[in-house]
Amino acid sequence: MKVLYVNTYFHGGGAEKVMRQLYNGMQMENIVTYCMVGRVQNDIPSEVQVIYEDFWGRAVTTAVGSILQNSLLKTYRARKRIIEFVRRENIDIVHFHNLHSNYIGISDIIEIKKYCKQVVITLHDMWILTGGCAHACECEDWVNNECRQCKGNYSMKSFSHSSRMFQYKKEWFENKGIAFVTPSMWLADLCKRGYLKNESLQVIHNGIDLEIFKAHSKTVLRKKYGLPQEKKILIFVANGLNNIYKGFPYLKKALDMIEEKEKYALLIVGNKKDEQLEFPFEMYPFGYVSCEKKMNELYAAADLYIHPSMADVYPFTPMESIASGTPVVAFSTGGIPEIVDEEVGWLVSPGDSVALKNKIEDIFAKDNQTEYIEKQKRCESYSQENFNIEYMIDKYKKLYIQLTDKGD
């Protein structure tokens, strides 16, 4: 069996991580894998194909796509490159991840399917379901009104092309024999409310490498990274503090309200180290961390991971923290409740900074230390049962076998 993985980038966030996990993991399952990405980056493996290596190709597609909210209708180069590769290597399955960010067109997928009958699309956000939003948040105009009255969301104002783009997506994705995968039941339920309700749809939760993410001695790690031994260390991780979906303003408001501030320290990963942040207690900015081993150690050094996200499908950071032996408090939104439950963490209402502040203080109250310790002890077994990357790879492999056995 031969599988071609296609995504916007090779390095990046959750979609890129899942693609890399499958690209490498399936090779251990005797499946031949290839990878093609839309955009060039540093440190991409030499065998990875890049569609737009030249400046002008990237510039033109970005300019055109920006008019249509990071979407393209048709691309000559991406379609041609993928079809040529499929035919040359006799690819059995083309597995797409993110289809937005201006490297491939909506109509290209069905053209590619003429040369490779089996196409899989993993949804890492809501983009396919809407006229433009990656996360529709409170707006439900996409459900029945087909985005005719776009209300926008946190990241974009009302989008004038939303209804037209919705119709294009419905035309090119509905009833085309594509196998769709979502990482969470939450997103699958949204698909069943939209135009994908009659499509082949499977839930395959994301997984992590539990050989990398595991518990360590907090004392040793705090000494290694110059962190205070006696304080309760909170950790927050986000790809940029200005990402409105990540909820940093809600976290800051909650921490500003904490009464015994001398008890806490905040460890921040993902922001620029020189970014000016003001907090009324100790803060340790680590900037962007790409090394998973170092991320594991930072999670493990902390007492509590805070995930105040306002929109998430099935994020990696809560899983990684739990596997590292650090319980999680998070907003109850998207697919997060499928990761964080009462065994290993706490959930509060989305956007409620007062509730978040109260929960943080409650977690570390003297009377509740037994509960905290029990949750911490359960992290390892809980991760083995729910987050093992081998489960994810096995489920995708079974899907691939099912598709190729079915034929067309």
Side-chain angles (χ1 to χ4, degrees):
M1 184 187 304
K2 295 183 177 181
V3 180
L4 171 64
Y5 294 100
V6 183
N7 194 35
T8 315
Y9 297 104
F10 188 80
H11 301 295
E16 289 75 24
K17 179 173 285 191
V18 172
M19 184 197 69
R20 293 196 308 272
Q21 289 173 335
L22 293 174
Y23 171 60
N24 294 316
M26 288 298 170
Q27 295 175 18
M28 306 298 293
E29 301 294 324
N30 297 318
I31 293 176
V32 180
T33 62
Y34 304 90
C35 182
M36 185 177 293
V37 296
R39 304 301 189 190
V40 67
Q41 290 176 300
N42 294 328
D43 301 321
I44 294 179
S46 58
E47 70 273 12
V48 174
Q49 306 291 309
V50 179
I51 297 172
Y52 298 101
E53 294 185 280
D54 62 297
F55 169 79
W56 288 110
R58 298 193 302 272
V60 171
T61 51
T62 299
V64 174
S66 63
I67 299 172
L68 300 176
Q69 191 61 28
N70 285 330
S71 303
L72 295 171
L73 298 181
K74 181 179 180 179
T75 61
Y76 173 77
R77 190 188 302 186
R79 178 188 299 196
K80 182 174 183 289
R81 287 287 305 277
I82 294 172
I83 289 174
E84 286 179 347
F85 192 89
V86 163
R87 297 181 70 180
R88 183 173 68 249
E89 301 296 338
N90 295 314
I91 301 297
D92 297 295
I93 296 173
V94 180
H95 186 165
F96 292 96
H97 290 269
N98 278 342
L99 293 174
H100 43 76
S101 297
N102 312 320
Y103 78 100
I104 194 168
I106 295 170
S107 66
D108 294 334
I109 309 304
I110 200 63
E111 291 300 315
I112 292 166
K113 199 174 187 299
K114 293 177 181 178
Y115 299 89
C116 182
K117 299 297 183 183
Q118 305 306 330
V119 169
V120 177
I121 299 177
T122 295
L123 281 64
H124 295 280
D125 52 37
M126 289 182 64
W127 177 84
I128 280 183
L129 298 175
T130 73
C133 295
H135 296 287
C137 300
E138 295 89 354
C139 176
E140 293 202 345
D141 197 59
W142 58 274
V143 179
N144 298 313
N145 204 33
E146 299 181 346
C147 292
R148 290 192 183 94
Q149 299 175 11
C150 175
K151 301 177 180 64
N153 60 23
Y154 296 111
S155 66
M156 71 176 204
K157 296 180 180 179
S158 184
F159 177 38
S160 61
H161 301 289
S162 59
S163 181
R164 192 184 320 167
M165 293 305 300
F166 184 96
Q167 292 300 327
Y168 285 134
K169 291 178 184 179
K170 187 175 180 180
E171 176 184 353
W172 290 106
F173 292 130
E174 188 178 34
N175 298 323
K176 295 299 186 293
I178 297 170
F180 293 94
V181 177
T182 70
S184 66
M185 286 298 302
W186 170 79
L187 185 55
D189 289 342
L190 294 183
C191 290
K192 292 172 184 176
R193 296 176 61 202
Y195 72 88
L196 295 181
K197 57 181 174 291
N198 296 319
E199 303 301 311
S200 170
L201 181 66
Q202 185 170 341
V203 176
I204 301 180
H205 288 141
N206 296 335
I208 57 175
D209 189 342
L210 298 179
E211 292 297 317
I212 295 176
F213 292 97
K214 53 191 175 182
H216 299 276
S217 166
K218 293 189 185 301
T219 301
V220 172
L221 291 177
R222 291 185 182 190
K223 183 177 181 180
K224 177 179 179 178
Y225 290 104
L227 302 172
Q229 297 284 354
E230 72 285 357
K231 291 183 182 290
K232 299 299 182 185
I233 295 182
L234 314 175
I235 180 170
F236 171 76
V237 181
N239 185 15
L241 300 185
N242 293 326
N243 186 329
I244 39 77
Y245 295 127
K246 300 304 180 183
F248 180 71
Y250 301 101
L251 170 63
K252 187 177 187 309
K253 184 177 179 181
L255 297 183
D256 283 341
M257 291 187 288
I258 284 180
E259 295 180 7
E260 297 180 88
K261 295 180 173 62
E262 69 279 0
K263 290 173 51 176
Y264 302 93
L266 177 65
L267 195 163
I268 297 182
V269 181
N271 64 305
K272 296 178 181 178
K273 275 193 173 185
D274 58 355
E275 190 170 350
Q276 295 300 312
L277 296 171
E278 293 184 5
F279 281 96
F281 46 80
E282 288 184 58
M283 182 180 67
Y284 298 84
F286 278 83
Y288 177 71
V289 177
S290 60
C291 175
E292 289 190 326
K293 182 178 182 296
K294 183 175 180 179
M295 274 306 313
N296 166 232
E297 292 180 342
L298 294 177
Y299 285 124
D303 295 294
L304 181 69
Y305 172 57
I306 305 178
H307 193 78
S309 178
M310 296 299 292
D312 251 326
V313 174
Y314 200 86
F316 278 93
T317 51
M319 290 192 288
E320 293 169 351
S321 179
I322 293 168
S324 303
T326 300
V328 174
V329 59
F331 284 158
S332 179
T333 187
I336 295 172
E338 297 173 49
I339 298 173
V340 182
D341 67 13
E342 60 183 10
E343 287 193 56
V344 291
W346 302 262
L347 294 170
V348 298
S349 299
D352 191 337
S353 295
V354 174
L356 181 59
K357 169 259 185 187
N358 290 338
K359 181 58 66 177
I360 293 170
E361 292 182 325
D362 186 58
I363 288 168
F364 295 114
K366 289 183 179 180
D367 294 343
N368 295 328
Q369 286 310 287
T370 300
E371 178 188 8
Y372 174 84
I373 292 170
E374 288 301 315
K375 289 180 187 287
Q376 191 178 48
K377 288 180 179 177
R378 284 196 289 266
C379 284
E380 181 179 2
S381 60
Y382 186 88
S383 300
Q384 289 287 349
E385 293 169 5
N386 295 279
F387 306 148
N388 198 322
I389 190 175
E390 294 177 4
Y391 300 158
M392 181 190 78
I393 291 173
D394 182 63
K395 288 181 179 180
Y396 271 109
K397 181 182 178 181
K398 288 177 178 176
L399 172 62
Y400 296 161
I401 293 172
Q402 175 188 345
L403 292 172
T404 52
D405 285 349
K406 180 181 68 173
D408 209 5

